[in-house]
């Protein structure tokens, strides 16, 4: 079965760079159509899509955050890494990685449990 | 980007009743690329509906989606206790894909 799990720091200081790792199983990021995305959710607020990487290394970013985000994959390790630079307290949120449903548009059919990242000095 | 507006913000109903949740888009959603997710406290979202009306794997048939263009609806025909949660719509017909602000379905 498909599983994903996020890992990374729970606390970062303002201006620092956040690096999150998504480790997954049950699928391969070298299979045509497969993608892994990142979505975040500030406490008590709505979901916000951040980035997506496809099996062919095509990468998509939220326009509002594009300058601060980088998404990469390591197919041999079954991992996807998201980096976000210049962190600010407003970036405090639960960060999820998720498996893109392989057909049609970008919907997410399997999600990790999420990791809460707090930005504070 | 397309802005999704969900209504109502909160819906109070009793088990056994019918729930109707709405999602309005600021522009037409191409190909009816509209999804619905359910989220319970402390848990990740769960995909319920994609392509406006197709149920995801394992989703009970009391959940149904409809609509096209700028107006979409999620209907839960007969509420079960486990259905009380927050529901989000997502459009993925235009980049960037965007989510609505959510509707909280609470027990009356």
């Amino acid at each position: 079965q498909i599983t994903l799990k996020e890992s990374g720091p729970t606390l970062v200081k303002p201006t620092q760079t956040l690096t999150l790792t998504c480790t997954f199983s049950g699928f391969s990021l070298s299979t045509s159509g497969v993608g892994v995305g990142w979505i975040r959710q500030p406490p008590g607020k709505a979901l916000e899509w951040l980035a997506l990487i496809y099996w062919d290394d095509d990468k998509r970013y939220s326009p509002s955050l594009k300058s601060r985000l980088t998404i990469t994959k390591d197919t041999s390790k079954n991992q996807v890494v998201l980096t976000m630079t210049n962190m600010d307290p407003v970036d405090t949120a639960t960060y999820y990685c998720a498996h893109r449903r392989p057909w049609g548009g970008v919907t997410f059919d399997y999600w990790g449990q999420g990791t809460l990242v707090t930005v504070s000095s | 980007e397309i802005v999704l507006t969900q209504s109502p913000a909160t819906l109070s109903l009793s088990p056994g009743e019918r729930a109707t949740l709405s999602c309005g888009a600021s522009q037409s959603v191409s190909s009816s690329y509209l999804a619905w997710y359910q989220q319970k406290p402390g848990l990740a979202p769960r995909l319920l509906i994609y392509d406006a009306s197709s149920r995801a794997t394992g989703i009970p048939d009391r959940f149904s989606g409809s609509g096209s263009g700028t107006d979409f609806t999620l209907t839960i025909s007969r509420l079960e206790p486990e259905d009380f949660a927050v529901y989000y719509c997502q459009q993925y017909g235009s980049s960037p894909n965007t989510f609505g602000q959510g509707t909280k379905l609470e027990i009356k």
Side-chain angles (χ1 to χ4, degrees), chain B residues 10-21 38 40 46 48 60-64 74-87 103-108:
Chain B
T10 304
L11 184 59
S12 300
L13 294 170
S14 300
E17 291 191 294
R18 180 184 185 90
T20 302
L21 288 67
Q38 176 194 68
K40 297 181 180 179
R46 177 172 72 143
L48 300 175
D61 60 7
R62 65 179 181 274
F63 290 91
S64 63
L74 174 70
T75 301
I76 310 171
S77 60
R78 188 175 172 82
L79 285 166
E80 298 287 343
E82 62 267 28
D83 298 337
F84 292 91
V86 179
Y87 291 83
T103 289
K104 181 179 181 181
L105 178 57
E106 64 177 23
I107 299 177
K108 187 173 181 180

Side-chain angles (χ1 to χ4, degrees), chain B residues 35-57:
Chain B
W36 291 93
Y37 297 83
Q38 176 194 68
Q39 188 178 33
K40 297 181 180 179
L43 297 180
R46 177 172 72 143
L47 178 65
L48 300 175
I49 301 287
Y50 63 91
D51 296 351
S53 60
S54 297
R55 271 188 300 276
T57 302

Side-chain angles (χ1 to χ4, degrees), chain A residues 69-112:
Chain A
L69 295 174
T70 303
I71 190 169
T72 60
K73 64 180 175 70
D74 186 330
T75 304
S76 65
K77 293 183 178 179
N78 281 352
Q79 290 182 333
V80 171
V81 175
L82 181 76
T83 61
M84 180 180 292
T85 61
N86 194 25
M87 293 292 285
D88 183 270
V90 300
D91 296 314
T92 294
T94 296
Y95 287 75
Y96 296 99
C97 64
H99 171 269
R100 170 193 176 255
R101 198 176 62 86
W103 307 277
V106 178
T107 54
F108 300 103
D109 54 358
Y110 294 91
W111 294 62

